[in-house]
Amino acid sequence: MVHLGSAGVTLIYGRDERAIEVAALLKEHLDLTVLITEPHDLPPPRISEFPVVKGKIRSAKGHLGNFEIVVDDYALPLPSSRDRLRFAPARDGALSRCDIVLDMSGGAPLFPAADLRDGYLRADPGDPAAVLRAALRARDLVGDFDKPRYITFSADLCAHSRSRIVGCHRCLDLCPTSAIAPAGDHVAIDDKICAGCGQCAAACPTGAAAYALPPADALMRKLRTLLMVYREAGGSRPILLFHDESHGGALIDALARHGDGLLAHVLPVSVNEVTQIGPEAMVAAFAYGAAALRVLLRAKPRHDLAGLHATIALTQPILAGLGLAGERLAVIETDDPFALGEALRAVDAGEAVSAPATFLPVGGKRDVLRFALRELHRVAPAPADVVPLPAGAPFGSVEIQVEGCTLCLSCVSACPTGALSDDPERPLLRFSEEACVQCGLCKATCPEKVIGLTPRLAFAAAMTAPRVLKQEEPFHCIRCGKPFGVKSMIDRVTAKLEGKHWMYQGSPSRLDVIKMCEDCRVAFVTEEGLDPYAGTARPKPRTTDDYLREREEKPRR
């Protein structure tokens, strides 16, 4: 659990006297400050029971019990105000800290996915009922609160970046509340801001972020039991309906009370948030015998659902590639129970797999997903060995332009999952497709820019040995014969330096130093008495003054 504490320090942000009226209702319960954006013709109070200031919020961050607000055009009222409030000279950048923010400004929300930010209450000032509801909620936000820790995060599995080069950023792009931020080689999740939508866990390719209410394997065990019992009872072609309890549960209840209810072959599955459903749950559902899957959404979602749509876009071609064609996956966006019933009756489910799998999901997210895919491939009506996937998929192959690769192995040190590896005995680069998550770090790190990513799902990857992408003979020291480096790399360096670099001009023996191992290089320089400064004239170092002088001389020329 995550602890949140609020002492009731509240900022009421409004544009006219209605904010002051709400403050008068709450003054006995909360420690109030009223911030007015347009304080025109406001009469001064006879007794100042709470501060009334003017200003406009530039930025806001934080959560219940710890908001930090930056205010521009901030000014205090003058004590000499008589017929209306007059204010002292304004200033920008005023900082305010509070526990609760009640926003009645009528403008844009201060936070993304504002309805999911604990402690931030927003109401339309033109709707008295909404304002009253927000005021009553603010009154109750005093004390100590515990909220669930929705996401468990393992930093050592994160493939966000290496050596300040960014690779995977799926969770950063999807988080609706901005609770995720870069933190070195991995990301950090602020549990006090996280609203539990689960899109980061559904999109995470390595399993570093995992949903905890319930975990992925627990949801899959629930699906396994549900579909096995349904099949044993004589049911066929089941349609799974994923829904949340607050919205979907109410719609299903209304359809049962005032309509015909759900069809007999529609099996509702309640989850905390529908956006938590990852590809492992969808794939497992079809492996267990589901004929179709629908996700029930609000007509006006509370936040962006790009993560859920990306999960469906990833899973749909996998199903089609295994012979489960048709619209097997889709969403139903409605707030009308009768529209829900019509949408479910219109589903053309098609046939499910003839011999459903019965495997028990065990392990982390990535392992469970791989196992579910293999089981679906085993029972699918028309299994394909390789299925092309859309860009951004967490499965795929790495290809290199062999002629441009120098086997510098920068990609090996950057790979967070060990998909790329080398051999300490000989210069080669190997690739294990089973471990690749298509984070793109190898492609971004490669100095020669010869690495490309091919998103696909190869079912035989788990049973094949790592593939050798490039292998070369080592270069042997011209003095002792010790193997070191790679011949193509030594030849390339020699070609770039010969006759071009001042240190290697004047004598052919100077260039031979590059073709020696680290031990012979030192011995050769000592024996021959090579002076690095005895060659051709060394170029004069250029300083900042040189660049500034040339910049001044250009207009004269």
Side-chain angles (χ1 to χ4, degrees):
M1 303 297 287
V2 180
H3 175 76
L4 299 174
S6 169
V9 179
T10 304
L11 176 68
I12 298 181
Y13 183 45
R15 61 188 181 188
D16 50 30
E17 65 276 0
R18 281 175 287 192
I20 299 178
E21 294 172 0
V22 172
L25 296 175
L26 297 174
K27 64 184 179 181
E28 303 295 335
H29 307 279
L30 301 172
D31 182 358
L32 298 170
T33 298
V34 179
L35 178 63
I36 303 294
T37 59
E38 303 172 5
H40 302 306
D41 299 328
L42 281 180
R46 187 170 63 89
I47 300 174
S48 296
E49 297 177 298
F50 44 81
V52 178
V53 299
K54 81 160 188 172
K56 186 173 183 180
I57 295 179
R58 180 207 306 173
S59 63
K61 63 180 181 179
H63 49 80
L64 175 64
N66 187 23
F67 284 105
E68 188 174 291
I69 312 295
V70 178
V71 182
D72 286 341
D73 195 28
Y74 171 78
L76 294 171
L78 294 172
S80 58
S81 300
R82 296 182 61 189
D83 58 331
R84 61 187 177 87
L85 282 177
R86 289 176 170 81
F87 293 86
R91 64 185 177 92
D92 293 339
L95 183 64
S96 173
R97 290 184 174 87
C98 58
D99 299 323
I100 306 166
V101 178
L102 177 52
D103 186 357
M104 298 173 50
S105 64
L110 303 179
F111 299 96
D115 293 343
L116 305 179
R117 183 68 59 123
D118 293 324
Y120 176 67
L121 309 173
R122 184 166 176 263
D124 181 1
D127 185 350
V131 171
L132 181 59
R133 286 195 300 269
L136 293 175
R137 287 178 59 196
R139 185 190 63 181
D140 295 334
L141 291 178
V142 180
D144 295 328
F145 303 90
D146 288 328
K147 64 177 289 186
R149 192 183 303 275
Y150 296 103
I151 303 296
T152 57
F153 183 72
S154 302
D156 56 327
L157 297 177
C158 183
H160 170 60
S161 71
R162 295 294 185 271
S163 303
R164 298 184 181 181
I165 297 177
V166 176
C168 177
H169 47 82
R170 294 174 174 90
C171 59
L172 292 168
D173 296 339
L174 294 175
C175 182
T177 62
S178 300
I180 306 178
D185 286 350
H186 53 84
V187 299
I189 300 177
D190 191 335
D191 296 319
K192 295 183 178 180
I193 297 179
C194 175
C197 72
Q199 294 193 94
C200 58
C204 182
T206 64
Y211 206 74
L213 292 172
D217 57 343
L219 177 59
M220 292 168 64
R221 284 194 294 270
K222 181 178 180 180
L223 297 177
R224 175 180 182 271
T225 303
L226 176 65
L227 292 168
M228 287 180 63
V229 171
Y230 177 80
R231 187 172 64 253
E232 291 171 359
S236 61
R237 302 174 66 182
I239 300 175
L240 288 181
L241 177 64
F242 283 104
H243 66 90
D244 60 12
E245 196 56 40
S246 59
H247 171 252
L251 280 189
I252 293 173
D253 181 71
L255 184 60
R257 291 177 180 274
H258 306 291
D260 297 331
L262 294 177
L263 300 173
H265 63 289
V266 175
L267 309 179
V269 180
S270 177
V271 292
N272 186 54
E273 288 282 351
V274 291
T275 44
Q276 78 183 66
I277 305 168
E280 68 283 346
M282 294 184 178
V283 169
F286 287 96
Y288 289 139
L293 189 152
R294 294 294 182 267
V295 182
L296 179 56
L297 306 176
R298 300 172 188 265
K300 294 182 178 180
R302 296 187 297 172
H303 57 80
D304 188 14
L305 303 176
L308 176 62
H309 293 297
T311 301
I312 293 176
L314 167 65
T315 311
Q316 190 71 50
I318 296 176
L319 299 176
L322 299 180
L324 298 173
E327 196 177 21
R328 302 283 181 152
L329 286 169
V331 298
I332 300 175
E333 301 180 66
T334 182
D335 294 334
D336 184 352
F338 298 105
L340 170 62
E342 291 296 329
L344 291 173
R345 278 190 285 272
V347 175
D348 183 11
E351 294 295 332
V353 296
S354 57
T358 59
F359 66 93
L360 279 170
V362 178
K365 174 189 171 180
R366 182 77 177 183
D367 298 331
V368 167
L369 175 56
R370 278 289 189 185
F371 191 67
L373 286 169
R374 286 196 292 269
E375 286 294 299
L376 180 60
H377 180 264
R378 181 180 62 84
V379 301
D385 292 333
V386 178
V387 177
L389 296 179
F395 304 102
S397 174
V398 168
E399 306 296 338
I400 67 169
Q401 300 173 19
V402 178
E403 63 281 358
C405 177
T406 60
L407 285 178
C408 68
L409 302 181
S410 298
C411 54
V412 175
S413 60
C415 182
T417 62
L420 291 169
S421 60
D422 61 349
D423 191 321
E425 303 297 331
R426 47 187 176 159
L428 62 80
L429 177 63
R430 284 183 299 222
F431 172 66
S432 175
E433 189 165 341
E434 174 77 2
C436 182
V437 296
Q438 297 283 286
C439 65
L441 276 171
C442 56
K443 181 179 179 180
T445 304
C446 179
E448 277 78 30
K449 306 302 178 186
V450 296
I451 295 181
L453 303 178
T454 304
R456 67 177 190 177
L457 182 58
F459 289 95
M463 298 175 287
T464 58
R467 174 164 51 98
V468 176
L469 297 180
K470 182 173 182 179
Q471 180 177 3
E472 284 193 24
E473 291 299 321
F475 185 87
H476 295 272
C477 174
I478 60 174
R479 178 168 175 163
C480 69
K482 173 184 174 181
F484 80 101
V486 182
K487 186 177 185 302
S488 61
M489 183 174 62
I490 300 298
D491 292 341
R492 178 174 298 188
V493 172
T494 303
K496 286 188 175 183
L497 296 178
E498 186 176 10
K500 299 176 183 177
H501 195 279
W502 64 271
M503 189 179 290
Y504 298 98
Q505 294 179 4
S507 173
S509 61
R510 289 176 172 268
L511 204 59
D512 290 340
V513 175
I514 300 173
K515 305 175 183 179
M516 299 179 188
C517 66
E518 63 275 14
D519 297 327
C520 294
R521 191 175 302 135
V522 175
F524 180 77
V525 170
T526 304
E527 293 169 0
E528 297 294 326
L530 291 180
D531 183 1
Y533 300 101
T536 59
R538 187 176 181 181
K540 182 182 178 182
R542 293 175 63 82
T543 65
T544 303
D545 293 337
D546 296 325
Y547 289 102
L548 293 177
R549 184 174 58 256
E550 291 177 0
R551 185 184 301 175
E552 293 174 357
E553 292 175 355
K554 272 187 178 180
R556 300 175 188 172
R557 296 173 185 172

